[in-house]
Amino acid sequence: MIHPLAQVSDQASLADDVRVDAFAVIGPNVKIGKGSWVASHAVISGPCTIGEHCQIYPFVSLGQPPQDLSYKDEPTELVIGDHNIIRESATLHRGTVRGGGVTRVGDHNLIMAYCHIAHDCKIGSNVIFANNASLAGHVHIEDGVTLGGFTLVHQFCRVGAHAYTSMGAALNRDLSPFTLATGNYARAIGINKIGLQRRGIESEVIQGLERVFRLLVHRRGHRPDEPEIVALRDCYAEVDRFVRFIEESKRGIIRTGRAAAE
Protein backbone atom coordinates (compact mmCIF):
# COMPACT_ATOMS: atom_id res chain seq x y z
CA MET A 1 0.00 0.00 0.00
CA ILE A 2 3.09 2.27 0.16
CA HIS A 3 4.32 3.35 -3.26
CA PRO A 4 8.05 2.69 -3.76
CA LEU A 5 8.58 6.37 -4.61
CA ALA A 6 7.06 7.55 -1.31
CA GLN A 7 9.38 8.46 1.56
CA VAL A 8 8.17 6.99 4.85
CA SER A 9 10.35 7.12 7.95
CA ASP A 10 11.17 3.89 9.76
CA GLN A 11 10.04 5.73 12.89
CA ALA A 12 6.53 6.35 11.55
CA SER A 13 3.69 4.01 12.53
CA LEU A 14 1.11 3.27 9.84
CA ALA A 15 -1.76 0.80 9.98
CA ASP A 16 -1.35 -2.11 7.55
CA ASP A 17 -3.93 -0.86 5.06
CA VAL A 18 -2.83 2.80 4.91
CA ARG A 19 -2.25 3.84 1.29
CA VAL A 20 0.61 6.23 0.55
CA ASP A 21 1.02 7.46 -3.03
CA ALA A 22 4.20 8.36 -4.90
CA PHE A 23 6.28 11.30 -3.68
CA ALA A 24 4.45 11.66 -0.38
CA VAL A 25 6.78 12.32 2.57
CA ILE A 26 6.01 11.00 6.06
CA GLY A 27 8.49 11.78 8.82
CA PRO A 28 9.32 10.27 12.22
CA ASN A 29 6.77 10.21 15.05
CA VAL A 30 3.80 10.14 12.68
CA LYS A 31 0.94 7.72 13.41
CA ILE A 32 -1.80 7.04 10.84
CA GLY A 33 -4.87 4.89 11.51
CA LYS A 34 -6.43 2.19 9.39
CA GLY A 35 -8.17 2.96 6.12
CA SER A 36 -6.47 6.32 5.63
CA TRP A 37 -4.95 7.59 2.39
CA VAL A 38 -2.04 9.99 1.82
CA ALA A 39 -1.89 11.40 -1.71
CA SER A 40 1.09 12.26 -3.86
CA HIS A 41 3.26 15.17 -2.64
CA ALA A 42 1.59 15.46 0.77
CA VAL A 43 4.07 16.13 3.59
CA ILE A 44 3.41 14.96 7.16
CA SER A 45 5.84 15.77 9.98
CA GLY A 46 5.75 14.54 13.54
CA PRO A 47 4.79 14.45 16.26
CA CYS A 48 1.47 13.99 14.46
CA THR A 49 -1.39 11.52 14.93
CA ILE A 50 -3.99 10.95 12.20
CA GLY A 51 -7.02 8.78 12.87
CA GLU A 52 -8.85 6.21 10.79
CA HIS A 53 -10.33 6.63 7.30
CA CYS A 54 -8.85 10.07 6.68
CA GLN A 55 -8.14 11.40 3.19
CA ILE A 56 -5.07 13.60 2.79
CA TYR A 57 -4.96 15.18 -0.68
CA PRO A 58 -1.93 16.37 -2.74
CA PHE A 59 0.34 19.10 -1.37
CA VAL A 60 -1.24 19.08 2.09
CA SER A 61 1.22 19.99 4.85
CA LEU A 62 0.54 18.53 8.30
CA GLY A 63 2.47 18.85 11.55
CA GLN A 64 5.00 21.50 10.60
CA PRO A 65 6.33 23.74 13.42
CA PRO A 66 4.03 26.61 14.44
CA GLN A 67 4.44 30.09 12.99
CA ASP A 68 5.09 31.53 16.44
CA LEU A 69 8.32 33.23 17.50
CA SER A 70 7.97 31.79 21.02
CA TYR A 71 8.37 28.26 19.66
CA LYS A 72 11.77 26.77 20.52
CA ASP A 73 11.58 23.36 18.85
CA GLU A 74 9.65 21.75 21.71
CA PRO A 75 8.00 18.36 20.98
CA THR A 76 4.46 19.66 20.52
CA GLU A 77 1.95 17.80 18.34
CA LEU A 78 -0.94 17.79 15.90
CA VAL A 79 -3.78 15.35 16.58
CA ILE A 80 -6.40 14.65 13.88
CA GLY A 81 -9.42 12.41 14.48
CA ASP A 82 -11.27 9.99 12.21
CA HIS A 83 -13.03 10.37 8.85
CA ASN A 84 -11.53 13.75 7.99
CA ILE A 85 -11.09 15.01 4.43
CA ILE A 86 -8.24 17.49 4.01
CA ARG A 87 -8.05 18.90 0.49
CA GLU A 88 -5.21 20.25 -1.63
CA SER A 89 -2.59 22.58 -0.13
CA ALA A 90 -4.22 22.88 3.30
CA THR A 91 -1.81 23.51 6.17
CA LEU A 92 -2.26 22.39 9.80
CA HIS A 93 0.49 23.20 12.31
CA ARG A 94 1.57 21.73 15.64
CA GLY A 95 0.88 23.49 18.94
CA THR A 96 3.07 25.59 21.22
CA VAL A 97 4.01 25.01 24.83
CA ARG A 98 2.22 28.13 26.02
CA GLY A 99 -0.92 27.04 24.16
CA GLY A 100 -1.05 23.57 25.70
CA GLY A 101 1.17 21.84 23.17
CA VAL A 102 -1.54 20.38 20.92
CA THR A 103 -3.44 21.47 17.83
CA ARG A 104 -6.49 19.20 17.75
CA VAL A 105 -9.03 18.35 15.03
CA GLY A 106 -12.11 16.21 15.71
CA ASP A 107 -13.97 13.79 13.43
CA HIS A 108 -15.93 13.95 10.16
CA ASN A 109 -14.60 17.34 9.07
CA LEU A 110 -14.18 18.70 5.54
CA ILE A 111 -11.24 21.08 5.21
CA MET A 112 -11.17 22.37 1.65
CA ALA A 113 -8.24 23.53 -0.46
CA TYR A 114 -5.78 26.15 0.84
CA CYS A 115 -7.27 26.34 4.34
CA HIS A 116 -4.94 27.08 7.26
CA ILE A 117 -5.29 25.92 10.87
CA ALA A 118 -2.65 27.52 13.06
CA HIS A 119 -1.01 26.39 16.28
CA ASP A 120 -3.08 25.43 19.32
CA CYS A 121 -6.43 25.57 17.53
CA LYS A 122 -9.18 23.25 18.71
CA ILE A 123 -11.59 22.08 15.99
CA GLY A 124 -14.71 20.09 16.84
CA SER A 125 -16.50 17.55 14.64
CA ASN A 126 -18.74 17.82 11.56
CA VAL A 127 -17.14 21.14 10.64
CA ILE A 128 -16.81 22.49 7.08
CA PHE A 129 -14.09 24.95 6.10
CA ALA A 130 -14.62 26.24 2.55
CA ASN A 131 -11.61 27.15 0.40
CA ASN A 132 -9.02 29.48 1.96
CA ALA A 133 -10.70 29.75 5.36
CA SER A 134 -7.90 30.55 7.80
CA LEU A 135 -7.55 30.43 11.58
CA ALA A 136 -4.92 32.29 13.58
CA GLY A 137 -3.49 30.65 16.68
CA HIS A 138 -5.53 29.46 19.69
CA VAL A 139 -8.89 29.57 17.89
CA HIS A 140 -11.66 27.26 19.13
CA ILE A 141 -14.23 26.04 16.59
CA GLU A 142 -17.14 24.06 18.06
CA ASP A 143 -19.11 21.24 16.41
CA GLY A 144 -21.16 21.76 13.26
CA VAL A 145 -19.65 25.10 12.25
CA THR A 146 -19.44 26.14 8.58
CA LEU A 147 -16.88 28.77 7.57
CA GLY A 148 -17.40 30.29 4.13
CA GLY A 149 -14.57 30.69 1.66
CA PHE A 150 -11.82 33.15 2.66
CA THR A 151 -13.22 33.50 6.20
CA LEU A 152 -10.55 34.83 8.59
CA VAL A 153 -10.63 34.25 12.35
CA HIS A 154 -8.51 36.33 14.74
CA GLN A 155 -6.34 34.58 17.33
CA PHE A 156 -8.01 33.44 20.57
CA CYS A 157 -11.52 33.77 19.11
CA ARG A 158 -14.24 31.16 19.62
CA VAL A 159 -16.91 30.15 17.12
CA GLY A 160 -19.94 28.50 18.72
CA ALA A 161 -21.64 25.31 17.59
CA HIS A 162 -23.58 25.36 14.29
CA ALA A 163 -22.57 28.93 13.49
CA TYR A 164 -22.17 29.94 9.86
CA THR A 165 -20.07 32.61 8.14
CA SER A 166 -20.41 33.98 4.63
CA MET A 167 -17.61 34.28 2.09
CA GLY A 168 -14.90 36.72 3.16
CA ALA A 169 -16.11 37.19 6.73
CA ALA A 170 -13.46 38.46 9.16
CA LEU A 171 -14.06 37.56 12.80
CA ASN A 172 -12.27 39.61 15.45
CA ARG A 173 -14.56 38.59 18.34
CA ASP A 174 -16.40 35.46 19.44
CA LEU A 175 -19.29 34.27 17.26
CA SER A 176 -22.22 32.92 19.28
CA PRO A 177 -23.58 29.42 18.60
CA PHE A 178 -26.29 28.99 15.94
CA THR A 179 -25.52 32.47 14.52
CA LEU A 180 -25.00 33.76 10.98
CA ALA A 181 -22.24 36.30 10.39
CA THR A 182 -21.06 38.25 7.36
CA GLY A 183 -18.73 41.10 6.45
CA ASN A 184 -15.31 42.52 7.26
CA TYR A 185 -15.30 43.04 10.15
CA ALA A 186 -18.10 40.53 10.65
CA ARG A 187 -21.51 41.42 12.01
CA ALA A 188 -24.17 39.01 13.21
CA ILE A 189 -27.27 38.94 11.01
CA GLY A 190 -29.46 36.36 12.71
CA ILE A 191 -29.87 32.74 13.70
CA ASN A 192 -28.72 30.02 11.29
CA LYS A 193 -32.32 28.97 10.80
CA ILE A 194 -31.97 26.88 7.64
CA GLY A 195 -28.95 25.07 9.01
CA LEU A 196 -30.76 24.24 12.23
CA GLN A 197 -33.83 23.03 10.35
CA ARG A 198 -31.62 20.70 8.33
CA ARG A 199 -30.22 19.34 11.58
CA GLY A 200 -33.72 18.56 12.85
CA ILE A 201 -33.97 21.32 15.45
CA GLU A 202 -37.61 21.98 16.33
CA SER A 203 -39.23 25.28 15.33
CA GLU A 204 -39.97 26.25 18.96
CA VAL A 205 -36.27 25.99 19.79
CA ILE A 206 -35.35 28.13 16.78
CA GLN A 207 -37.92 30.74 17.84
CA GLY A 208 -36.43 30.77 21.34
CA LEU A 209 -32.96 31.29 19.89
CA GLU A 210 -34.24 34.12 17.70
CA ARG A 211 -35.74 35.81 20.75
CA VAL A 212 -32.55 35.70 22.84
CA PHE A 213 -30.57 36.77 19.78
CA ARG A 214 -32.68 39.92 19.54
CA LEU A 215 -32.32 40.62 23.25
CA LEU A 216 -28.62 39.83 23.81
CA VAL A 217 -26.97 40.32 20.39
CA HIS A 218 -29.11 42.75 18.40
CA ARG A 219 -29.84 45.03 21.34
CA ARG A 220 -27.84 46.23 24.31
CA GLY A 221 -28.96 46.71 27.87
CA HIS A 222 -30.51 43.28 28.41
CA ARG A 223 -29.05 40.79 30.88
CA PRO A 224 -28.97 36.96 30.89
CA ASP A 225 -30.70 36.91 34.31
CA GLU A 226 -33.85 38.64 33.06
CA PRO A 227 -36.98 36.51 33.68
CA GLU A 228 -37.83 35.98 30.01
CA ILE A 229 -34.32 34.82 29.18
CA VAL A 230 -34.14 32.58 32.26
CA ALA A 231 -37.45 30.96 31.29
CA LEU A 232 -36.21 30.24 27.76
CA ARG A 233 -32.96 28.80 29.13
CA ASP A 234 -34.94 26.48 31.39
CA CYS A 235 -37.08 25.28 28.46
CA TYR A 236 -34.44 24.73 25.79
CA ALA A 237 -30.90 23.38 26.15
CA GLU A 238 -29.86 25.16 22.94
CA VAL A 239 -30.91 28.53 24.35
CA ASP A 240 -28.98 27.82 27.54
CA ARG A 241 -25.92 26.96 25.46
CA PHE A 242 -26.29 30.20 23.50
CA VAL A 243 -26.53 32.34 26.63
CA ARG A 244 -23.72 30.54 28.46
CA PHE A 245 -21.43 31.12 25.49
CA ILE A 246 -22.10 34.86 25.73
CA GLU A 247 -21.60 34.86 29.51
CA GLU A 248 -18.25 33.07 29.16
CA SER A 249 -16.91 35.11 26.25
CA LYS A 250 -13.59 36.81 27.04
CA ARG A 251 -13.19 38.75 23.79
CA GLY A 252 -16.79 39.90 23.55
CA ILE A 253 -19.25 38.69 20.95
CA ILE A 254 -19.90 39.72 17.37
CA ARG A 255 -23.06 41.85 17.29
CA THR A 256 -25.36 43.25 14.64
CA GLY A 257 -24.67 46.52 12.88
CA ARG A 258 -27.28 48.26 15.04
CA ALA A 259 -25.86 46.93 18.31
CA ALA A 260 -22.35 47.91 17.28
CA ALA A 261 -23.54 51.43 16.48
CA GLU A 262 -25.25 51.73 19.83
Side-chain angles (χ1 to χ4, degrees):
M1 301 295 288
I2 298 177
H3 195 282
L5 294 179
Q7 297 183 34
V8 180
S9 170
D10 292 338
Q11 300 175 47
S13 176
L14 279 60
D16 292 341
D17 63 347
V18 171
R19 173 184 155 196
V20 183
D21 290 351
F23 307 112
V25 178
I26 299 176
N29 301 315
V30 173
K31 299 179 182 179
I32 304 179
K34 66 182 182 180
S36 291
W37 164 60
V38 181
S40 177
H41 298 286
V43 178
I44 306 176
S45 302
C48 177
T49 300
I50 299 171
E52 300 178 358
H53 303 287
C54 290
Q55 301 176 32
I56 312 300
Y57 276 73
F59 300 103
V60 165
S61 175
L62 302 178
Q64 294 296 325
Q67 298 176 129
D68 187 314
L69 293 176
S70 72
Y71 180 73
K72 305 300 179 185
D73 203 31
E74 297 93 347
T76 56
E77 61 181 327
L78 168 66
V79 177
I80 298 172
D82 301 331
H83 298 278
N84 290 292
I85 300 172
I86 304 177
R87 295 302 304 251
E88 295 84 352
S89 300
T91 55
L92 286 72
H93 290 170
R94 301 201 309 269
T96 64
V97 170
R98 68 175 183 173
V102 181
T103 302
R104 190 178 301 276
V105 177
D107 306 323
H108 297 279
N109 298 305
L110 171 57
I111 300 170
M112 297 187 195
Y114 298 97
C115 289
H116 176 63
I117 297 176
H119 57 87
D120 305 297
C121 288
K122 301 293 184 288
I123 312 302
S125 297
N126 300 298
V127 167
I128 297 174
F129 288 6
N131 298 60
N132 290 94
S134 296
L135 310 182
H138 310 276
V139 169
H140 183 188
I141 306 291
E142 295 184 357
D143 295 345
V145 168
T146 298
L147 298 184
F150 293 90
T151 291
L152 305 175
V153 185
H154 192 281
Q155 61 201 37
F156 293 101
C157 283
R158 297 170 61 212
V159 179
H162 306 290
Y164 187 104
T165 68
S166 69
M167 178 185 68
L171 281 58
N172 64 340
R173 296 185 180 183
D174 295 343
L175 179 60
S176 305
F178 317 112
T179 300
L180 295 168
T182 187
N184 182 359
Y185 286 112
R187 57 187 178 87
I189 58 174
I191 292 296
N192 182 16
K193 185 175 180 179
I194 294 176
L196 295 180
Q197 289 172 341
R198 290 173 176 171
R199 291 169 173 83
I201 303 298
E202 296 179 352
S203 59
E204 304 85 56
V205 177
I206 296 174
Q207 290 171 7
L209 288 168
E210 289 177 327
R211 180 58 179 163
V212 294
F213 176 90
R214 286 194 294 271
L215 293 174
L216 295 179
V217 179
H218 183 59
R219 304 174 185 173
R220 289 188 181 274
H222 291 274
R223 296 173 51 86
D225 58 359
E226 292 178 6
E228 181 181 4
I229 296 175
V230 171
L232 287 168
R233 295 181 73 174
D234 290 341
C235 286
Y236 306 117
E238 292 84 355
V239 172
D240 183 62
R241 184 174 190 173
F242 182 93
V243 178
R244 277 193 292 108
F245 184 97
I246 294 173
E247 290 176 323
E248 295 169 0
S249 175
K250 295 179 180 179
R251 292 187 59 85
I253 62 166
I254 292 172
R255 296 183 176 274
T256 64
R258 174 180 173 180
E262 291 174 350

